[in-house]
Amino acid sequence: MERPRTLPSFDGPRSVRRPAQNASAQPAKRSKLQDARHIRTQPPSAVLEDGRLDLAKFLDSRKVEIDALETSMQKCTSANNTRAFQQVPRAMRRRTASHNPKRVPRRLRDRARHEQLSSNAPTVEARKRRPKTTRAHLRREMAKICDSQGDSHRHATMTESGQEDDPNTCDAQGEGLEANNSVGDYMINKMQKHAGPRLPTHLWHKKRAFIPAKPYWGFSIPQTPTEKCYRATHRASTQQGAVVWDMTYMSTIGLEGVDDHIKRLLEECVPEVGSFGQQWRAGKRHETFRIHKKVNGSWRFVCPATMIWNPDFRRSAQPEKPRKVFIRIHPSCFEEVHDYLLAVIREKSLPLHIEDLRFEVGSIELAGSGSTEALLGVLQPYDDKDGTEDANVRIFKSFNAFTEPSVLHTGALLAFGIKDPRLAYPPKNILASKLNTATAVMDTLANWAVEQGDPKPIALFDKDCRMRASLHPKSVLDPRKSNDIAGQALPATPHDRPIPIMLLASSGAVTYGNSQAMRPGVWTLLAPWDCVLSIWYSLVHYPLSGGNNPRFGGLDEYRQVLAEQQSPWFPGDFPTTDAGWAWELQQRQHRGHVWSTLPRGKRVAFESVRLGAARQGEEGSGHACDWEYLIDLQGFERRVLPKDQPPIDLMNADDFNSKLQLKIRPPATSTIIASIRLVGRGVVRECARVYRLPDSTSPLREQWLQQKETKKPWSSAQKASNASGQTRRGLILKSLLETERPYPKPAANVEDIGAHPICPNSTELMGFVTTGQFNLSQGRPTAIASLMAIKALEALWNNPLSDEGKYCIVRNVGESVGWLARWEAYISG
Amino acid sequence: MVRLKDRYLLVNILYSDLPPGHPKDAPVPDLLLYNQPTAGELRPQHLLKAIRGEVAALFGDCGAGAVDRSLQVKYLSSATSTFILRISRAHYRLVWAALAFMNSLPVGRPGRPCVYRVVRVSGTMRKVEQAAIQRAKLLMLAARDEMAGNKNTSALDALFKADKVETRRLAAPTQDQDEPDEDVAMDED
């Protein structure tokens, strides 16, 4: 009997395994599938007892048959329902995998091909499609003609440049392609869905992340990756791996002027500018400080900023030569800061030049233990000779993969030129090559050669260098690659200009109360806008030594990483600033909108929230951190403020401590930022209400404090476990006689709120939570909140001896139940 | 591509006499008599060979060629004397007829005389399996009744009634558009 010539059949025989029809298919994998279709059977001897028919055995045999049939049915359902591309982990799935078997991992390709044929999926490959109708044929011909006409406009001609240039300065006269960085180019089409200017990596992110249509702070910023990555981000940023963010939306302001004038400008912005050191002024380190505005003689906090001076070696010869400074701030307050600086410049008639470099300098941030490794693997210094004079390059090359940014001194800064990362694409793992020893790294860190001697000027500050660094288009690079040896990096020719970059290391130390925690630091890589994308590709394709590539993150992941370090995020956790207040107003609107789109049965009815003790209705607006409500509660007259000005002010940590000690009452609208850690159960989210513990006159206080730990009635007997048996018995008897009846004590509020302590009154309302989540680093829920300074101080004053003033109760908006927590004032970090 | 449609036949093997190793004098309840296991040497290949041979004998080369390609044994249980055949929709009646003409097991010389009774025809394997499960459950209930000593086995009645109901259903064809031939239940009786 000849073999029927059919496609490999999945409906293999059930009681017997046949060899696969298609000899080329892997028989081992097929048999797995056939197992699903194999129904177990019993031999007939199991039904006969000594050759006799038996009722009991008959019964059993039917039972076995039913089981076997049902199992086989179940297995078949699952085996039949899944397609090959559904067996692929979510991160590796590609959209067109259903009709393009090449997009599926190799082991599943045969199966995918078969499924494609047996289902209704189109099997034509677009590029191999031959036109069938006359019309289609004509269209194809026309398209070819138009294409060839376009080619002649595309390539720029390159001229030879004979000079060897120092990659870190731009005195060279090499020719490069002209870059056009005008802002207009980034608003390509008014009809685009994303109205904001795009980041350089926009298209890459668009395929992998959700980008909201309404731009944040003027930019289309990815909100979160499409796949679920909460835990993966946590692991990559704290344990093993790396996370990268495209932070090109962070604004850069360039200042140019003489040292003295810049110093006078800064005195108007930063109260403590005098305390920053000489190294920073010389341009060897970067510093992060808070910009303030002088309003009616007092300081008002605007935003945190990072400032970098350009070291100019000619300075020693000409001290009055103007220098450049970069100020990096969050885009939400760019206009505010820019206008304020301009106003100060005009007011004091300082001969300073202020520049908007938002679309010229881009940045990438990296976090996680693999971040240094990724940078070492991707950034190839242009000046690659071993005995190079550039201290920055020497230091960078002396790092090893385990040098974390937190290990470096604060404000560590490296600036050098790199080769186009596309020349060495795909990036190779650096651990394959020789690694620097730990002692060598220690030497580097101890000496930090950059700070010895006069540093060279940083090329990134020079507009010419930024412009000239624009890269060759792919069509120029590809022929070079195809002509060269496969697998090797392309050598850099004089036509390949060095890309000026800056690496900033942030230690990420966060200070709260009496404690300071060292967190894993963050690398910030500054580069010209046009070069960010090619660096990005190499970074996200770099093979980390622990496996995987660096993960990318969106805004949510950035906030998550900061929240896990319990570091407040600007602007969201600073509602006292204009930018933070604008964020809060926007979030209110967003929450209100989302709430209104839900049907009435599925949304929280804030007016009927029961808070226990016959109180009904949410405190303040349910969509908001209702500061206006809180201020009204205190009986303080609200000043009539313009709509975009926050009703609250930020109090300095030093100020808070001094008022605490001297017992001075702060102004009623001052707030502090606090970190909150829950003691037991519960999770707090944004807008949660924070209450103090009620004072000792109320029995509620004890109920709440009991949430901490419960003491067992015979713990004294346990402590006396070393005592003799008689003593122990005596102790046990004593505890039995002394426990209150009824035992166990019935919890309070059983009818009211389900045996949970009820929330304190509105007089104890301290503030609101601005960021809250379950903190995977801490293993307990944490939050960052803004608290009224007066309430916080009162809580501390009323409990001078114990730490009970630091306890608070946090209740999510719309919920009845509060959770016990501890708060700590945030100082810095 | 046009869908290839099949029919699945659920077939019972019935014996009218006691199994060879059984002592002659012991009384055997009817339930066990008509649901005997089959001798262990029966393999799907034997069945296939027998059916193909029968079809060839009845319908000649044309019939044999039509049936040969798509005939498969999907399930064979010697313990319960049940098997499930798959055959293409166009030619299932040839196989059914061949089964009607077969009167002995294909193994052994001579093979034990038996009757092949088609209990269920369906367009999907799932429905046939479900029918097999249902019958097995009813038989289990009947066996339990028997063990309890209850002579009026309602389970067996239920089994026969179910068969009769299906026959009545055949008389009035269903209006099902999607899979009109899917669950055509037929009974030989």
Side-chain angles (χ1 to χ4, degrees):
Chain A
M1 209 154 318
E2 80 251 326
R3 273 202 182 147
R5 271 184 257 110
T6 55
L7 291 170
S9 164
F10 284 110
D11 294 335
R14 304 252 182 161
S15 54
V16 146
R17 259 178 237 171
R18 271 197 188 156
Q21 303 275 15
N22 192 355
S24 67
Q26 299 154 354
K29 307 281 177 176
R30 276 293 157 78
S31 71
K32 248 195 217 173
L33 211 52
Q34 284 172 349
D35 267 342
R37 282 145 176 104
H38 176 67
I39 311 178
R40 285 178 305 120
T41 53
Q42 271 182 323
S45 50
V47 186
L48 296 171
E49 177 151 352
D50 302 330
R52 284 161 171 238
L53 296 167
D54 183 48
L55 259 180
K57 292 261 170 106
F58 176 81
L59 205 65
D60 279 338
S61 72
R62 298 294 144 166
K63 206 186 293 180
V64 165
E65 188 184 35
I66 291 174
D67 276 339
L69 283 169
E70 281 180 342
T71 319
S72 145
M73 281 204 318
Q74 264 182 356
K75 279 192 190 169
C76 280
T77 316
S78 51
N80 270 332
N81 277 351
T82 54
R83 297 273 304 265
F85 59 87
Q86 288 173 308
Q87 312 280 25
V88 183
R90 264 189 243 152
M92 292 172 66
R93 282 191 204 162
R94 297 292 169 257
R95 192 199 291 185
T96 56
S98 67
H99 51 269
N100 189 348
K102 283 191 254 183
R103 299 270 166 98
V104 158
R106 274 198 204 110
R107 63 185 168 89
L108 294 167
R109 253 176 227 167
D110 276 340
R111 189 175 152 192
R113 254 180 224 121
H114 171 76
E115 282 167 3
Q116 187 192 10
L117 291 169
S118 64
S119 72
N120 282 331
T123 50
V124 178
E125 246 184 88
R127 67 186 176 92
K128 286 187 186 161
R129 191 185 306 175
R130 298 280 164 260
K132 293 213 172 122
T133 62
T134 315
R135 185 162 178 264
H137 181 79
L138 284 174
R139 281 173 67 91
R140 192 155 168 266
E141 296 300 307
M142 281 309 296
K144 273 192 193 162
I145 293 167
C146 291
D147 225 11
S148 62
Q149 279 184 348
D151 271 349
S152 54
H153 291 293
R154 225 176 276 155
H155 296 299
T157 52
M158 302 289 297
T159 59
E160 284 283 342
S161 124
Q163 284 182 342
E164 268 290 314
D165 305 321
D166 185 0
N168 287 329
T169 61
C170 275
D171 291 348
Q173 292 167 18
E175 292 286 319
L177 297 174
E178 281 295 322
N180 186 354
N181 274 340
S182 58
V183 180
D185 269 350
Y186 298 98
M187 300 284 289
I188 298 167
N189 184 356
K190 292 238 173 82
M191 301 293 284
Q192 272 175 351
K193 186 176 169 207
H194 298 106
R198 298 175 161 189
L199 301 176
T201 53
H202 180 91
L203 282 180
W204 190 92
H205 277 104
K206 189 74 175 92
K207 295 180 194 173
R208 297 160 177 82
F210 168 65
I211 304 182
K214 266 202 178 151
Y216 283 125
W217 318 301
F219 275 92
S220 295
I221 301 172
Q223 176 95 39
T224 180
T226 328
E227 24 166 59
K228 288 199 224 173
C229 57
Y230 190 85
R231 275 175 284 176
T233 314
H234 160 73
R235 273 181 251 130
S237 60
T238 55
Q239 293 166 16
Q240 187 189 58
V243 193
V244 292
W245 291 273
D246 185 358
M247 300 287 274
T248 323
Y249 57 85
M250 293 290 279
S251 310
T252 315
I253 294 179
L255 282 177
E256 187 172 1
V258 173
D259 272 19
D260 215 22
H261 296 147
I262 294 184
K263 186 162 152 245
R264 275 161 63 187
L265 173 68
L266 289 180
E267 275 166 8
E268 296 296 312
C269 309
V270 185
E272 67 268 17
V273 71
S275 65
F276 293 118
Q278 199 197 21
Q279 301 283 26
W280 170 67
R281 252 186 273 263
K284 298 172 187 176
R285 294 191 188 185
H286 71 271
E287 280 288 346
T288 305
F289 46 74
R290 292 186 173 184
I291 290 188
H292 292 71
K293 266 193 210 179
K294 253 198 185 145
V295 175
N296 300 335
S298 66
W299 291 108
R300 234 189 102 223
F301 172 51
V302 175
C303 67
T306 307
M307 194 157 144
I308 310 150
W309 292 79
N310 183 11
D312 204 336
F313 69 88
R314 289 167 289 197
R315 184 170 172 265
S316 49
Q318 292 164 293
E320 292 311 309
K321 189 173 163 60
R323 279 167 64 181
K324 292 200 177 170
V325 173
F326 275 174
I327 301 178
R328 297 202 77 233
I329 52 176
H330 198 269
S332 57
C333 50
F334 171 78
E335 271 148 19
E336 199 185 342
V337 171
H338 190 261
D339 292 345
Y340 179 65
L341 291 178
L342 263 182
V344 170
I345 286 173
R346 282 192 196 123
E347 187 198 312
K348 303 228 159 172
S349 23
L350 296 166
L352 287 175
H353 179 57
I354 191 168
E355 252 187 324
D356 167 11
L357 298 173
R358 280 182 295 173
F359 297 98
E360 300 203 19
V361 175
S363 61
I364 295 175
E365 280 195 22
L366 298 104
S369 53
S371 50
T372 315
E373 194 200 330
L375 286 172
L376 287 172
V378 163
L379 303 177
Q380 310 292 331
Y382 197 85
D383 197 2
D384 220 358
K385 308 180 271 284
D386 263 333
T388 180
E389 278 195 1
D390 189 354
N392 288 291
V393 175
R394 280 207 307 270
I395 292 176
F396 184 68
K397 286 177 113 175
S398 71
F399 285 164
N400 70 15
F402 311 109
T403 316
E404 289 203 9
S406 52
V407 170
L408 310 178
H409 57 261
T410 46
L413 167 64
L414 286 176
F416 49 92
I418 59 166
K419 297 183 202 165
D420 184 353
R422 293 178 302 172
L423 297 176
Y425 184 88
K428 295 190 177 38
N429 189 291
I430 56 162
L431 290 187
S433 54
K434 185 172 66 84
L435 247 195
N436 295 314
T437 59
T439 43
V441 176
M442 292 290 211
D443 275 339
T444 312
L445 296 181
N447 298 330
W448 201 259
V450 183
E451 292 185 351
Q452 299 166 359
D454 288 326
K456 301 168 100 186
I458 297 175
L460 191 60
F461 281 91
D462 194 340
K463 192 179 179 81
D464 275 341
C465 279
R466 288 196 298 264
M467 292 297 148
R468 280 206 219 112
S470 64
L471 305 170
H472 299 301
K474 196 163 176 293
S475 50
V476 169
L477 218 51
D478 283 347
R480 281 171 62 183
K481 281 204 163 178
S482 59
N483 289 337
D484 209 63
I485 308 166
Q488 272 191 11
L490 282 178
T493 64
H495 293 308
D496 299 316
R497 305 301 310 153
I499 301 175
I501 59 144
M502 250 204 279
L503 267 179
L504 313 177
S506 318
S507 68
V510 184
T511 323
Y512 277 100
N514 302 328
S515 64
Q516 191 198 44
M518 280 302 292
R519 316 284 182 190
V522 166
W523 283 111
T524 309
L525 170 69
L526 299 179
W529 179 285
D530 281 337
C531 310
V532 169
L533 185 59
S534 58
I535 300 175
W536 180 266
Y537 275 135
S538 289
L539 272 178
V540 292
H541 294 154
Y542 175 80
L544 291 171
S545 43
N548 288 329
N549 300 336
R551 304 191 65 85
F552 81 96
L555 197 60
D556 286 351
E557 283 65 43
Y558 192 72
R559 294 183 65 185
Q560 177 196 337
V561 167
L562 281 180
E564 286 188 358
Q565 299 174 356
Q566 291 177 267
S567 182
W569 173 69
F570 186 86
D573 290 322
F574 292 89
T576 53
T577 61
D578 281 359
W581 186 246
W583 174 261
E584 165 62 29
L585 291 178
Q586 186 208 42
Q587 290 295 98
R588 283 185 191 182
Q589 205 194 20
H590 175 68
R591 283 180 215 127
H593 171 71
V594 167
W595 182 87
S596 64
T597 56
L598 291 172
R600 204 180 299 162
K602 298 204 176 169
R603 64 192 188 196
V604 178
F606 293 112
E607 62 278 354
S608 56
V609 171
R610 285 177 39 231
L611 302 173
R615 292 173 293 178
Q616 194 165 2
E618 179 58 64
E619 308 224 30
S621 162
H623 307 303
C625 294
D626 212 338
W627 291 104
E628 294 95 328
Y629 170 80
L630 185 50
I631 293 171
D632 281 344
L633 270 185
Q634 295 177 280
F636 185 68
E637 281 268 335
R638 239 199 295 168
R639 309 180 288 225
V640 175
L641 292 168
K643 192 179 150 215
D644 48 357
Q645 199 174 348
I648 42 179
D649 319 301
L650 187 65
M651 178 182 282
N652 216 348
D654 296 331
D655 213 3
F656 184 73
N657 279 329
S658 69
K659 289 205 162 62
L660 175 66
Q661 260 137 40
L662 303 175
K663 295 221 174 176
I664 306 172
R665 289 186 76 82
T669 53
S670 291
T671 57
I672 55 162
I673 298 176
S675 136
I676 291 185
R677 267 165 50 118
L678 260 67
V679 167
R681 287 185 61 196
V683 180
V684 292
R685 307 265 177 227
E686 285 183 14
C687 303
R689 275 69 173 126
V690 183
Y691 300 86
R692 288 187 296 207
L693 277 184
D695 55 7
S696 23
T697 55
S698 154
L700 202 54
R701 188 191 175 84
E702 265 314 303
Q703 286 172 15
W704 273 108
L705 286 173
Q706 271 173 13
Q707 296 276 307
K708 273 194 289 174
E709 296 106 32
T710 46
K711 287 213 168 121
K712 300 192 182 94
W714 39 69
S715 62
S716 50
Q718 279 178 336
K719 281 180 198 159
S721 59
N722 288 336
S724 68
Q726 203 168 27
T727 330
R728 250 189 287 162
R729 262 180 265 129
L731 282 169
I732 291 172
L733 271 174
K734 190 172 167 211
S735 63
L736 278 174
L737 290 171
E738 282 178 359
T739 43
E740 288 175 18
R741 299 285 189 279
Y743 184 81
K745 191 171 169 186
N749 315 318
V750 169
E751 280 100 54
D752 199 351
I753 208 168
H756 198 89
I758 57 178
C759 270
N761 276 327
S762 339
T763 49
E764 312 294 353
L765 183 61
M766 269 210 287
F768 304 93
V769 164
T770 48
T771 303
Q773 56 182 55
F774 187 89
N775 191 327
L776 287 170
S777 299
Q778 298 275 326
R780 56 172 75 245
T782 59
I784 295 179
S786 287
L787 308 176
M788 281 288 181
I790 176 67
K791 297 269 166 81
L793 284 171
E794 278 171 8
L796 293 174
W797 289 331
N798 290 340
N799 297 284
L801 298 171
S802 69
D803 62 348
E804 285 174 3
K806 289 270 170 92
Y807 279 99
C808 62
I809 296 152
V810 196
R811 176 183 66 85
N812 283 318
V813 79
E815 292 185 12
S816 322
V817 162
W819 308 106
L820 188 66
R822 282 184 69 92
W823 65 271
E824 279 290 348
Y826 163 75
I827 295 178
S828 70
Chain B
M1 188 160 137
V2 184
R3 263 183 105 151
L4 298 171
K5 298 198 179 180
D6 306 312
R7 286 284 175 264
Y8 294 84
L9 278 73
L10 178 65
V11 187
N12 277 348
I13 308 176
L14 302 175
Y15 306 98
S16 51
D17 54 353
L18 289 169
H22 193 91
K24 300 279 190 263
D25 49 345
V28 173
D30 279 346
L31 181 67
L32 288 181
L33 186 62
Y34 292 113
N35 293 290
Q36 291 177 28
T38 310
E41 304 93 51
L42 184 64
R43 298 248 179 275
Q45 296 94 310
H46 302 135
L47 265 179
L48 283 175
K49 196 170 170 192
I51 293 172
R52 286 190 186 123
E54 197 65 36
V55 170
L58 287 174
F59 302 106
D61 282 342
C62 173
V67 155
D68 183 55
R69 190 186 74 89
S70 58
L71 181 62
Q72 246 185 354
V73 172
K74 298 296 264 179
Y75 170 67
L76 169 61
S77 170
S78 304
T80 53
S81 299
T82 316
F83 60 94
I84 298 178
L85 291 174
R86 190 188 77 169
I87 183 71
S88 67
R89 184 175 64 166
H91 307 295
Y92 78 99
R93 297 174 63 115
L94 305 181
V95 169
W96 198 341
L99 283 171
F101 278 87
M102 283 160 67
N103 59 3
S104 63
L105 280 181
V107 287
R109 289 167 195 267
R112 195 173 158 199
C114 66
V115 169
Y116 294 92
R117 181 181 182 229
V118 173
V119 169
R120 189 76 157 175
V121 175
S122 173
T124 57
M125 182 66 189
R126 176 173 278 269
K127 280 299 184 185
V128 160
E129 278 173 320
Q130 282 177 356
I133 289 171
Q134 194 195 22
R135 292 186 73 85
K137 280 184 178 160
L138 286 170
L139 284 172
M140 275 176 73
L141 287 175
R144 286 214 181 100
D145 280 344
E146 188 79 30
M147 281 172 86
N150 187 2
K151 279 294 171 180
N152 304 332
T153 47
S154 54
L156 267 181
D157 279 346
L159 193 60
F160 291 130
K161 262 198 204 126
D163 293 343
K164 286 215 177 101
V165 164
E166 285 152 6
T167 340
R168 243 182 275 133
R169 240 204 308 157
L170 176 62
T174 52
Q175 306 293 316
D176 201 1
Q177 292 286 326
D178 283 356
E179 190 73 70
D181 301 320
E182 184 181 339
D183 209 321
V184 178
M186 300 175 196
D187 199 61
E188 231 198 6
D189 232 301

